[in-house]
Amino acid sequence: MESIATTSLLGHSPLHGRVSVRDISGKQKPISYRVRVTEFTGRRIVVSPLLPRLKADRLVNLGVEARAIELTKEVHAYREEERSPKNWKDEIEAGIVQKPDLWPPENRADKPSLRNPRLRHERMGCGWIAAIFEWEGVIIKDNPELEKQAWLTLAEEEGRSPIPAFMLRRIEGMKNEQAISEILCWSRDPASVKRMAARKEEIYQSLQGGVYRFCNGSSEFVDILMHYNIPMALVSTRPRKTLEAAMRTIGIEECFSAIVAAEDVCRGKPDPEMFLYAAQLLEFIAERCIVFGNSNQTVEAAHEARMKCVAVANKHLVYELRAADLVVRRLDELSIVDLKNLADIESPEFGPGEPIPEMEIEEEDDEPPASTAIDDSIFW
């Protein structure tokens, strides 16, 4: 009350009435107050008559009612804003709001505003996207235990100590040569590295027994893509001879337009070299390619290549693959519309690259630097 009274221009107590207030000791003390209203009329100050006395509970209720009225207005304004359609594009360009993450996203493949029917028909088709599949874990079922046993057997034959579990997880998806020379550091000699890589592949094939089984829904999904004439490529770190023999065994050698094997690249995942080379063979830009894998190494390599990635959660849990653009449990859960919508999303990481800083050239002064004279008298 005193702070409000000090702000009054006339020096009167702005409130008048009686309210009971408890002090520190807990006793109730009555306090009187008065309300005076002042207003400016030009250069004159007009004092209004005293307001009628109000009860203390009425004053409190006035504040509560005023707050309730403000909240009601805000709720009605929010509802009206929800009902009115928003132009997200204008707000995003202005930097006001970000477009909400909705699935399925807005499909910009078909634009009714296009005047050219042929161009619109081409955009509605499926010829502007390509699919890149991993071999093991996506097309056929893989067995990580056989891979682990093959590495341990090779280490025993070479007289090496058993490979730790964390290192086996690290070399997952790599080429055999890359894992032997860079991670395991068993040898740097190219001939020795090639020999050990070939021996490891022989051990794995003998353990595997030449039995291949499709992953759930993979055969049906490949047939759907073939029906819509979507170009497909197959990538693997297995030797080409082994890969082609396995494809003939299960009868899908005619399904893929391009095959990338271990002999075609220098490095495996998470390096994007395999996926970039597959896109070149398909004659597609990387932004229009969709990679299908089942590990975070695949997701990292695909995003590094500026491609979209669909992760199949048959070995990992769904939340462990949340870095992918889309996660499914089996491939036949997808449809052509899902692929078109996914390929049409413009991810922020696919934006323009970082600008290359330009070197600043310092201008050389033609005038010689001014000589500084030293007074020798201070030393004497």
Side-chain angles (χ1 to χ4, degrees):
M1 304 301 179
E2 294 177 356
S3 62
I4 300 177
T6 55
T7 60
S8 175
L9 295 174
L10 300 179
H12 297 283
S13 299
L15 300 175
H16 183 75
R18 186 173 297 274
V19 180
S20 60
V21 181
R22 293 181 180 271
D23 56 4
I24 301 176
S25 61
K27 298 181 180 180
Q28 293 186 354
K29 293 184 178 181
I31 298 178
S32 300
Y33 57 88
R34 174 177 299 176
V35 178
R36 291 184 76 93
V37 180
T38 60
E39 62 180 358
F40 291 94
T41 305
R43 296 185 179 179
R44 300 173 56 190
I45 300 177
V46 180
V47 182
S48 64
L50 294 176
L51 297 176
R53 294 190 178 186
L54 301 175
K55 294 182 180 180
D57 56 350
R58 179 59 180 165
L59 290 174
V60 175
N61 291 337
L62 284 176
V64 175
E65 291 177 0
R67 182 58 181 164
I69 292 173
E70 293 179 2
L71 292 175
T72 304
K73 291 180 179 179
E74 292 179 2
V75 171
H76 284 291
Y78 177 75
R79 289 178 178 176
E80 292 295 332
E81 184 179 356
E82 279 188 341
R83 293 175 183 173
S84 59
K86 290 187 176 182
N87 191 351
W88 293 105
K89 294 182 179 180
D90 296 342
E91 294 183 355
I92 292 174
E93 292 177 358
I96 300 175
V97 68
Q98 293 183 355
K99 189 173 180 179
D101 295 331
L102 300 178
W103 187 262
E106 180 185 358
N107 184 9
R108 296 191 300 274
D110 179 25
K111 291 186 178 181
S113 59
L114 291 176
R115 302 298 181 184
N116 190 340
R118 183 177 179 181
L119 180 60
R120 182 182 177 189
H121 179 73
E122 181 181 354
R123 292 176 67 92
M124 291 176 64
C126 303
W128 57 292
I129 57 176
I132 302 176
F133 290 88
E134 282 191 325
W135 172 243
E136 294 177 329
V138 179
I139 300 297
I140 65 168
K141 294 183 179 180
D142 62 342
N143 194 338
E145 291 298 326
L146 296 182
E147 189 77 16
K148 175 182 177 181
Q149 188 175 352
W151 280 112
L152 294 178
T153 304
L154 178 64
E156 184 178 358
E157 290 182 357
E158 297 293 330
R160 307 284 180 173
S161 59
I163 305 174
F166 76 93
M167 196 167 291
L168 288 173
R169 289 192 299 269
R170 185 177 179 184
I171 64 179
E172 181 182 353
M174 291 185 178
K175 287 187 59 177
N176 295 335
E177 294 85 353
Q178 181 183 358
I180 292 172
S181 61
E182 298 181 9
I183 306 301
L184 302 178
C185 299
W186 285 353
S187 177
R188 295 288 183 178
D189 181 41
S192 300
V193 171
K194 186 176 181 180
R195 177 187 58 81
M196 287 187 286
R199 176 54 184 162
K200 182 263 173 184
E201 192 63 30
E202 291 177 3
I203 297 173
Y204 176 82
Q205 294 300 328
S206 62
L207 294 174
Q208 198 266 343
V211 179
Y212 303 97
R213 293 181 297 172
F214 281 106
C215 292
N216 296 330
S218 61
S219 177
E220 294 80 0
F221 186 67
V222 170
D223 292 339
I224 292 175
L225 297 189
M226 288 188 63
H227 175 72
Y228 286 95
N229 297 323
I230 296 180
M232 292 180 289
L234 186 66
V235 299
S236 175
T237 54
R238 301 294 177 190
R240 178 175 293 273
K241 182 179 179 180
T242 303
L243 188 59
E244 291 178 350
M247 294 175 64
R248 287 192 299 268
T249 302
I250 59 179
I252 59 171
E253 64 274 10
E254 302 295 335
C255 299
F256 297 93
S257 306
I259 299 175
V260 178
E263 297 88 348
D264 301 320
V265 294
C266 297
R267 304 176 64 84
K269 296 179 299 183
D271 194 281
E273 184 180 359
M274 291 191 305
F275 301 133
L276 291 174
Y277 185 57
Q280 292 178 6
L281 295 178
L282 295 175
E283 297 182 355
F284 270 78
I285 61 174
E287 288 79 3
R288 291 304 177 195
C289 294
I290 302 177
V291 176
F292 297 86
N294 69 333
S295 63
N296 285 315
Q297 288 87 343
T298 305
V299 177
E300 181 181 354
H303 287 174
E304 185 69 20
R306 303 170 66 88
M307 300 178 183
K308 304 298 172 58
C309 183
V310 176
V312 183
N314 53 16
K315 183 173 64 173
H316 299 274
L317 298 176
V318 174
Y319 72 89
E320 295 178 351
L321 302 172
R322 60 182 179 272
D325 298 283
L326 187 61
V327 183
V328 294
R329 297 186 182 276
R330 42 190 296 165
L331 286 178
D332 56 358
E333 296 178 3
L334 296 170
S335 65
I336 298 299
V337 177
D338 294 332
L339 298 185
K340 292 175 64 176
N341 289 333
L342 182 62
D344 201 49
I345 299 175
E346 296 181 1
S347 301
E349 64 265 22
F350 296 161
E354 299 181 358
I356 301 176
E358 298 181 358
M359 298 180 60
E360 297 182 359
I361 302 176
E362 298 181 357
E363 298 181 358
E364 298 181 358
D365 297 334
D366 297 336
E367 300 179 358
S371 59
T372 305
I374 303 176
D375 188 3
D376 296 338
S377 61
I378 61 175
F379 300 106
W380 300 95

